[in-house]
Amino acid sequence: MSNPNWKRVVIKVGSALISPNQQGCSSHYLLSIAQFIVRCRANGTQVVLVSSGSVAAGAHLFPEQEKSDIAVKKAMAAAGQTEMIATWDRLFDFPSAQMLLTHADLRDRERYVSIRETIFSLLDNNILPIVNENDTVTTDKLKVGDNDNLSAMVASAAEADALIICSDIDGLYDKNPHEHDDATLLKTVDHIDESVYAMAGGAVKGGVGTGGMRTKIEAAEKAVSHGIDTYIINGFTELSFNMLLNGENPGTHFKPHAKPMQENVHWMRHTSNAQGEVIVEGDFDASLDSNADQLTSSEIVDVKGEFSVGDTILVRKEDGTKLVKAKSNYSSCLLNFIANQENEEFANEFEEKTGPIISDQHIANLEKE
């Protein structure tokens, strides 16, 4: 690793660093992170902070409540968010801004572009964006679920050069270091595949946060496909941040793809959720990622779910093979009507007048998944 020449970085900090004992916010571990952010900015590097911790920070205010109750957790998030932002704000002598997001904000293209513009505007005015999932209003349908993946989406939206994910261990090991004394730290990962996910294991049980090493690998996979250097480091030690600033790798470095996905394709594949499915014939073999016109109603055998014009859909074969995620130019109702027409000439004339079923400006190829 050479001396970093980052123009923009995103750093993700988890609940265990914010509120180690779930007794409100603590600056014990945050001081070194804040110093890292200050030094990055002094070096001319713009920083976006993705900070978990609102639920953990607010937990102590509800001592007699059942913590697993969804309404209580939302209330904990609402109360803890203000304390968390105030804690961060005290550590800086420059302004910061709060951005609370849901997955609904990110998966809607217009709102996603608005988020990008807001981040860029804040950074251009030397204001530190502090991003968190809006746990107070999220539902299962709207939530990202963990801030590891949220940080990767934010890094992509912000066009960051690097994503730094803080963990409670030094990085990715070939086996669980809490259970195996001979576990070896992987300093570099060139390609993320199932063997890498196997090393990550499952989610943390009984921890303060909502994720684990697996969600960090998921985030790394999203980020590197957009050309973003990604690091998993130990956020509990100041040495990690000093090493990064000195151009050294303190944890695990996930190398970015040599040919990153274009921004709109990356958003379609990794951020936008499919609202429905279009099932095509099993022998359909057109290259949809290069020619949207290849998909016509004559190839469609079924339409699943309800979606509107402009929604993201999944196009797959009858055997389950995923082809692409794409923006639909038809509603599910209209597409069902056209696909079920026995008069093929009518369907062809309709499509000639109204255009292709999916937009060639927003197609993400999935055939290699």
Side-chain angles (χ1 to χ4, degrees):
M1 179 178 171
S2 60
N3 190 42
N5 188 28
W6 301 321
K7 293 182 178 179
R8 187 174 299 139
V9 301
V10 172
I11 179 169
K12 183 267 173 178
V13 179
S15 299
L17 287 162
I18 299 288
S19 181
N21 302 313
Q22 290 189 286
Q23 295 298 314
C25 292
S26 169
S27 61
H28 181 74
Y29 297 115
L30 304 187
L31 285 171
S32 58
I33 299 172
Q35 290 170 358
F36 171 77
I37 293 173
V38 170
R39 291 171 67 186
C40 280
R41 286 167 57 100
N43 292 338
T45 301
Q46 295 178 327
V47 181
V48 178
L49 172 62
V50 176
S51 177
S52 304
S54 61
V55 175
H60 70 289
L61 301 173
F62 299 81
E64 306 300 326
Q65 300 291 313
E66 174 54 53
K67 299 297 191 294
S68 62
D69 184 271
I70 298 299
V72 173
K73 291 188 74 170
K74 291 179 183 294
M76 288 162 54
Q81 182 67 25
T82 55
E83 182 178 343
M84 185 182 73
I85 290 295
T87 300
W88 279 119
D89 205 45
R90 283 195 297 270
L91 298 176
F92 302 119
D93 60 357
F94 46 79
S96 61
Q98 175 180 258
M99 294 184 67
L100 295 175
L101 307 177
T102 69
H103 199 274
D105 300 315
L106 293 161
R107 74 186 184 206
D108 180 273
R109 184 63 187 177
E110 185 175 350
R111 288 152 74 179
Y112 179 82
V113 171
S114 178
I115 290 167
R116 282 168 56 87
E117 292 171 346
T118 300
I119 291 174
F120 295 150
S121 182
L122 289 169
L123 294 174
D124 288 344
N125 287 278
N126 296 316
I127 301 171
L128 173 70
I130 303 179
V131 184
N132 191 13
E133 184 159 17
N134 195 348
D135 293 315
T136 302
V137 302
T138 50
T139 62
D140 287 340
K141 186 177 181 180
L142 298 179
K143 68 182 179 181
V144 177
D146 65 89
N147 272 11
D148 294 322
N149 278 287
L150 177 64
S151 70
M153 296 176 188
V154 170
S156 299
E159 299 291 343
D161 301 297
L163 170 62
I164 301 163
I165 302 176
C166 296
S167 180
D168 60 348
I169 56 177
D170 291 337
L172 176 64
Y173 287 78
D174 60 353
K175 60 184 76 172
N176 191 332
H178 297 305
E179 300 175 358
H180 303 276
D181 293 334
D182 60 343
T184 301
L185 176 67
L186 278 67
K187 296 299 292 182
T188 304
V189 175
D190 296 308
H191 177 68
I192 298 175
D193 54 21
E194 285 305 316
S195 65
V196 174
Y197 276 105
M199 297 176 198
V204 174
K205 295 182 179 179
V208 176
T210 57
M213 186 55 67
R214 185 174 182 85
T215 61
K216 292 172 176 56
I217 304 303
E218 291 172 355
E221 185 173 21
K222 288 180 173 66
V224 298
S225 67
H226 197 45
I228 301 170
D229 279 294
T230 303
Y231 301 86
I232 297 177
I233 67 169
N234 190 332
F236 288 82
T237 171
E238 185 178 358
L239 178 62
S240 297
F241 304 104
N242 292 335
M243 290 180 67
L244 281 173
L245 289 166
N246 291 330
E248 302 173 58
N249 175 15
T252 301
H253 175 207
F254 296 83
K255 291 188 175 181
H257 290 189
K259 294 182 178 180
M261 289 182 189
Q262 294 179 342
E263 184 275 324
N264 61 327
V265 175
H266 187 274
W267 171 81
M268 178 62 68
R269 177 161 181 165
H270 291 297
T271 303
S272 181
N273 276 356
Q275 303 301 300
E277 296 183 355
V278 171
I279 317 300
V280 298
E281 295 176 338
D283 58 354
F284 182 78
D285 59 0
S287 182
L288 291 176
D289 57 329
S290 61
N291 192 349
D293 288 327
Q294 292 297 312
L295 179 61
T296 64
S297 57
S298 61
E299 276 81 37
I300 297 175
V301 296
D302 196 10
V303 177
K304 294 184 178 296
E306 295 183 2
F307 50 88
S308 304
V309 175
D311 282 348
T312 299
I313 59 172
L314 171 67
V315 181
R316 66 173 177 85
K317 295 183 179 182
E318 292 177 278
D319 64 1
T321 302
K322 298 176 182 178
L323 299 177
V324 298
K325 283 171 70 178
K327 175 182 176 181
S328 177
N329 293 327
Y330 291 65
S331 68
S332 53
C333 181
L334 181 56
L335 193 54
N336 259 313
F337 172 74
I338 299 300
N340 290 329
Q341 289 298 308
E342 295 182 3
N343 186 337
E344 188 171 325
E345 184 177 345
F346 169 83
N348 291 338
E349 288 181 358
F350 186 90
E351 289 168 36
E352 286 179 5
K353 292 179 180 179
T354 56
I357 291 172
I358 56 177
S359 171
D360 57 5
Q361 298 299 311
H362 295 98
I363 299 180
N365 185 28
L366 303 174
E367 288 182 275
K368 297 181 180 179
E369 281 195 341

